Amino acid sequence: MKRIAVLTSGGDAPGMNAAVRAVVRKAISEGMEVCGINRGYAGMVEGDIFPLDAKGVSNILSRGGTFLQSARYPEFAKLEGQLKGIEQLKKHGIEGVVVIGGDGSYHGAMRLTEHGFPAIGLPGTIDNDIVGTDYTIGFDTAVSTATEALDKIRDTSFSHGRTFVVEVMGRNAGDIALWSGIAAGADQIIIPEEDYDINEVVAKVKDGYATKGKNHHLIVLAEGVMHGDAFAAKMKEAGDDSDLRVTNLGHILRGGAPTPRDRVLASWMGAHAVELLKAGKGGLAVGLQNEELVEHPILGSAEEGALFSLTEAGKIVVNNPHKARLDFAALNRDLAH
Ligand code: ADP
Ligand code: F6P
């Protein structure tokens, strides 16, 4: 393989730049040429493709966001969009692609591979909810940012003797809430993977003030449950009489300099993706499992370890869905007294 390309797709995540840099530098080390594709599959279809050399990725390792920019481009899920993208790849002499993104982006990589352009997926999202990996690029940074914010909220929460509901991102997953909640010593963590009873939530708040000598109370709420304002309204309906405030950390968690761990993970995975392409492999997603890099077929049978399978009716099913660590939810209950 002489020339490859790299793109970032879906929601951005800190460490995506580090992954792009690793792809470019490793490819050059292997004697390949590299192109960057701006704005994910949208840029591919529009031909927004440009050569990248070693210097072109200088000074991006430590920067948040993605300098290639990202886009959500549903048109790529259709054959017409894919064929337009392939036309552009051919025009630029590109033979393989590294796609940094989430599950949706992996499907695009699979389609490219099926059309004869091997593509490798790398897991990039702050949510940590991608199949086939224990950790995603950006998760560690998001947890670190959330923890720092929670520590700050605890300061003001204590000073004023208030209850806080702090909403953190996680469209379907409670990982950010669990990790940052434990790290910041949250009194309660509410995640979509676990049922909760609003009366119990309120009872715990009351008990904290009335019998445990607490003067404040910190609740970390994953976005996937509901928004913080709605949750606070439910608490009031259930009889909460504390001085309650809501903060939504929102997109702040998507930005900022990646942590060393995210930089290392991104560098490692980026270089590995190039090795796979060099070996002529495609249709694979790289993951980290038990602290080692692994790769799984994106589409295929569950028996061969594929992340997704197609039913006879053509529906995509996830073979081994990501699961948040419910033992961590239990851990926090044991520690939050
Ligand atoms: P993420 O990659 O974070 O899951 P999305 O689900 O928005 O984010 O997917 C990112 C992009 O991947 C989409 O905007 C689209 O361009 C492409 N994509 C998503 N699903 C498919 C699919 N089934 N086939 C081909 N491309 C897809
Ligand atoms: O998937 C990552 C994520 O940050 C989710 O936690 C959040 O729900 C979503 O993206 C927000 O997407 P957007 O930036 O398109 O509003």
Side-chain angles (χ1 to χ4, degrees):
M1 205 172 278
K2 288 256 163 28
R3 182 182 276 194
I4 64 169
V6 56
L7 63 83
T8 52
S9 170
D12 67 348
M16 281 184 162
N17 281 326
V20 172
R21 170 184 175 272
V23 169
V24 172
R25 297 269 170 99
K26 176 70 175 174
I28 291 169
S29 297
E30 296 293 340
M32 292 190 248
E33 293 173 9
V34 197
C35 287
I37 301 177
N38 283 321
R39 292 175 299 104
Y41 294 112
M44 180 186 286
V45 167
E46 288 163 21
D48 195 353
I49 300 173
F50 64 101
L52 270 171
D53 58 12
K55 204 153 183 319
V57 289
S58 289
N59 296 321
I60 62 164
L61 174 65
S62 60
R63 274 170 45 200
T66 160
F67 86 106
L68 289 178
Q69 298 192 283
S70 191
R72 302 206 196 261
Y73 186 69
E75 291 86 339
F76 203 75
K78 298 199 185 100
L79 180 65
E80 197 193 339
Q82 294 156 19
L83 294 179
K84 278 187 193 158
I86 280 164
E87 212 175 286
Q88 292 295 341
L89 293 181
K90 276 190 195 154
K91 201 168 131 190
H92 288 83
I94 292 160
E95 296 165 281
V97 185
V98 178
V99 171
I100 307 163
D103 289 4
S105 307
Y106 282 6
H107 291 301
M110 191 62 225
R111 296 281 97 83
L112 289 174
T113 306
E114 286 167 357
H115 292 303
F117 290 81
I120 303 290
L122 299 185
T125 172
I126 63 165
D127 286 4
N128 207 42
D129 62 348
I130 300 183
V131 279
T133 190
D134 296 339
Y135 297 103
T136 58
I137 297 167
F139 173 65
D140 190 59
T141 308
V143 168
S144 172
T145 307
T147 303
E148 200 185 326
L150 287 166
D151 288 347
K152 288 177 177 167
I153 284 170
R154 181 182 289 287
D155 290 346
T156 178
S157 173
F158 170 81
S159 304
H160 290 265
R162 282 174 171 159
T163 302
F164 267 86
V165 172
V166 184
E167 178 187 333
V168 297
M169 272 195 171
R171 192 181 354 213
N172 301 309
D175 295 51
I176 296 175
L178 281 175
W179 284 71
S180 63
I182 290 173
D187 295 291
Q188 301 193 55
I189 302 173
I190 314 290
I191 55 171
E193 294 87 348
E194 258 192 350
D195 290 337
Y196 69 93
D197 177 341
I198 198 71
N199 296 310
E200 275 174 28
V201 171
V202 171
K204 269 191 200 157
V205 175
K206 285 187 194 247
D207 189 47
Y209 288 115
T211 68
K212 300 235 166 88
K214 285 180 191 268
N215 92 319
H216 65 293
H217 199 101
L218 195 55
I219 300 173
V220 179
L221 171 75
E223 167 200 10
V225 177
M226 71 179 71
H227 287 304
D229 285 334
F231 192 80
K234 277 177 89 115
M235 283 177 66
K236 285 295 170 202
E237 267 170 42
D240 174 69
D241 55 2
S242 68
D243 191 5
L244 181 62
R245 294 289 188 279
V246 178
T247 299
N248 180 6
L249 299 184
H251 285 80
I252 287 172
L253 302 185
R254 289 248 293 261
T259 58
R261 190 175 164 88
D262 271 333
R263 296 181 200 190
V264 172
L265 184 63
S267 302
W268 197 14
M269 288 182 162
H272 189 58
V274 173
E275 283 166 357
L276 292 171
L277 284 180
K278 201 182 167 216
K281 295 184 180 167
L284 301 173
V286 175
L288 182 80
Q289 287 179 333
N290 301 319
E291 296 302 315
E292 291 297 337
L293 290 189
V294 291
E295 59 272 346
H296 295 278
I298 296 172
L299 196 63
S301 69
E303 292 71 40
E304 62 183 352
L307 303 180
F308 306 94
S309 296
L310 277 183
T311 63
E312 275 180 21
K315 201 172 165 286
I316 296 171
V317 289
V318 187
N319 287 328
N320 195 1
H322 167 79
K323 291 185 189 78
R325 298 203 48 159
L326 292 185
D327 55 331
F328 278 13
L331 169 69
N332 200 60
R333 277 190 286 275
D334 287 342
L335 303 184
H337 285 284

